[in-house]
Amino acid sequence: MGNDPQVVATDYRAGQALVADKDFAANASFFQAAFEIGRRHKVMNPEKMRSEYGKMIYLLQDSQTSDVQELLQFKLVKPMRTAHALLAEKGGLALLKDPLMHTATAEIMHEGKPRAVVQRDIKAKEKVAAVRHVGALRGGNPRRAVQRVG
């Protein structure tokens, strides 16, 4: 079975197969990724998942007990992948202190602005994101890192 976190949503039978044999450890990466997606979604959209998120957190807390750990044979919770962790891994933490980071990650608000001003802001943002610290990340993509920060 693949590690696609959307498998249950797209194929119920395949989702059932993930838990049918009770070999949860074989599907550890799937379960960890699915819960990380839920946690990341809540961080990025605080107004959503109001009651569901609390239930998920209780489930994740309960999963840390020794009885559940013994059954699962893996930790259900893994650290959330953040832009900071990515930058630290790639040696690019200096990017966060860059004075132009705000420009590179700022949300461009179009309400009440002429189209030309919005286009200028977009071009400035893209230019900064594309050229800042091109060599800052060992084997990484600085543009993607900047987009993840924003």
Side-chain angles (χ1 to χ4, degrees):
M1 182 61 46
N3 292 331
D4 184 0
Q6 298 176 354
V7 70
V8 177
T10 58
D11 186 346
Y12 181 76
R13 286 192 179 110
Q16 288 294 82
L18 285 175
V19 296
D21 60 1
K22 297 197 185 208
D23 183 13
F24 302 113
N27 300 303
S29 61
F30 166 79
F31 290 113
Q32 290 170 336
F35 285 112
E36 182 187 6
I37 289 169
R39 290 168 46 221
R40 289 176 65 90
H41 178 72
K42 178 62 175 178
V43 168
M44 297 302 293
N45 303 284
E47 73 285 355
K48 296 184 178 176
M49 291 177 58
R50 293 196 184 267
S51 64
E52 295 87 354
Y53 184 73
K55 293 171 189 170
M56 183 178 75
I57 293 301
Y58 284 138
L59 181 135
L60 292 174
Q61 287 174 339
D62 290 346
S63 78
Q64 301 303 302
T65 65
S66 59
D67 293 340
V68 175
Q69 289 287 308
E70 188 178 320
L71 173 69
L72 294 178
Q73 297 296 310
F74 72 95
K75 289 191 177 277
L76 198 52
V77 178
K78 71 175 187 175
M80 266 201 307
R81 188 82 170 130
T82 63
H84 185 276
L86 171 73
L87 291 171
E89 179 183 300
K90 301 291 184 179
L93 284 176
L95 221 109
L96 296 176
K97 294 180 181 170
D98 188 314
L100 293 176
M101 182 56 78
H102 177 73
T103 302
T105 61
E107 182 176 2
I108 298 174
M109 307 302 282
H110 67 280
E111 293 89 9
K113 289 184 181 179
R115 185 179 187 97
V117 172
V118 172
Q119 290 297 326
R120 184 193 68 213
D121 291 348
I122 291 171
K123 285 186 183 195
K125 179 177 178 170
E126 288 174 348
K127 181 178 179 185
V128 169
V131 300
R132 294 309 283 174
H133 297 282
V134 171
L137 302 179
R138 294 185 304 266
N141 182 340
R143 186 179 192 132
R144 180 178 162 102
V146 168
Q147 290 169 340
R148 285 183 74 168
V149 171

